[in-house]
Amino acid sequence: MTIEVAPVTRHITQPRINAYAAASGDHNPIHVDPAFAAGTPFGGTIAHGMLVLALIGEMMHAAHGDAWNTTGKIKVRFKAPTPAGSTVTASATLSKQADGVAEYAVQCATEREVVIEGRATVQVAE
Amino acid sequence: MTSTSPASIVTFPRGHEFVPASFTIDAGRIAAYLDAIGDHGAYGDAVPPLAAVALALEALQSEISLPEGSLHTGQEVEHLAALAAGEPLTMSGRVAQRSERQGYVISVLELEVASAAGIAVRARATIMAPAAAS
């Protein structure tokens, strides 16, 4: 059985970043202090990498349900920062399915570039 | 948990074992996490695995600080078993790899989150931090 994975698109606003900082306990000023971040090479605040990666987790959970929570694997590189205000789309393309394991090429991209790239696997019924 | 101040990640050698931390992720924290990321999926009382990783990283903050200019450049997560809201969890972690390149220390942190039933989530985070921060 082949399972299609629907993309997830989300606007990564500063309030969302602030909420993630509160939920995760990561209050690094590069994420939550616009005045500080303006003086860094990024020129402004950027989203937590784990916040953007969570879109891949959401997308895979939506497609695979509990199997994702108990058999899923992700391996990704954070290729570029995600500036506050970006719209991010997470997507997955099935690259292989064999022996009860589906492997997807996954990525998160803003309007400008790919910010996360890697692969995800999950056990599936055959 | 220790009462010592956190030290810069660049000061930890390869093989360093962090002090195991005990924590729980209650339903309120899960709701706050899901609301923050905008995920309205049906998790029941299950802990989203990436929430477990994020909160395990939070538990490490008592030992590790990230100097200005640090970058989270890679992440691996392996889900092994479901975690339920409110169950006691233990986070253990170590520095699996450490190298230096072009003025940066590259550290790979391995984390495991376990419940009473065993290891539920394994994660590897790659962090680049300015070597000058040491």
Side-chain angles (χ1 to χ4, degrees):
Chain A
M1 179 175 62
T2 300
I3 297 177
E4 294 296 322
V5 176
V8 168
T9 297
R10 185 123 326 121
H11 193 38
I12 307 295
T13 62
Q14 187 62 51
R16 183 175 301 287
I17 294 171
N18 294 345
Y20 185 84
S24 68
D26 181 349
H27 299 280
N28 187 319
I30 194 62
H31 304 305
V32 298
D33 185 340
F36 170 84
T40 71
F42 301 118
T45 54
I46 60 173
H48 305 74
M50 292 295 287
L51 164 55
V52 183
L53 180 60
L55 300 188
I56 293 178
E58 173 183 346
M59 172 179 72
M60 296 300 289
H61 178 260
H64 292 278
D66 289 343
W68 175 247
N69 286 351
T70 54
T71 70
K73 296 180 185 177
I74 308 176
K75 181 175 184 178
V76 297
R77 285 191 306 136
F78 296 104
K79 298 186 66 178
T82 302
S86 299
T87 297
V88 176
T89 298
S91 60
T93 303
L94 184 66
S95 52
K96 186 170 66 176
Q97 184 166 328
D99 301 325
V101 176
E103 178 176 323
Y104 298 86
V106 294
Q107 70 169 34
C108 291
T110 67
E111 305 93 326
R112 292 168 295 280
E113 60 187 332
V114 174
V115 294
I116 296 178
E117 191 171 64
R119 66 185 179 90
T121 64
V122 61
Q123 292 183 13
V124 294
E126 292 198 286
Chain B
M1 304 288 283
T2 65
S3 59
T4 56
S5 299
S8 170
I9 190 171
V10 304
T11 64
F12 293 100
R14 178 172 179 264
H16 178 83
E17 303 266 351
F18 298 104
V19 177
S22 298
F23 64 109
T24 59
I25 304 174
D26 62 26
R29 289 211 78 174
I30 295 171
Y33 173 87
L34 291 174
D35 187 54
I37 65 174
D39 184 349
H40 303 293
Y43 288 88
D45 73 343
V47 177
L50 288 178
V53 175
L55 296 174
L57 289 169
E58 179 190 32
L60 265 187
Q61 289 180 26
S62 63
E63 292 195 67
I64 288 181
S65 65
L66 298 180
E68 187 179 330
S70 297
L71 298 169
H72 187 177
T73 60
Q75 185 68 53
E76 297 177 45
V77 181
E78 182 179 8
H79 314 160
L80 302 171
L83 291 171
E87 69 177 320
L89 304 176
T90 302
M91 183 282 296
S92 57
R94 68 188 188 100
V95 179
Q97 295 176 29
R98 184 189 188 282
S99 59
E100 293 196 35
R101 188 166 60 202
Q102 297 179 331
Y104 278 85
V105 173
I106 303 166
S107 302
V108 177
L109 307 180
E110 283 187 350
L111 306 176
E112 291 180 345
V113 177
S115 68
I119 298 169
V121 181
R122 284 199 182 101
R124 288 166 61 92
T126 304
I127 309 288
M128 289 180 61
S134 60

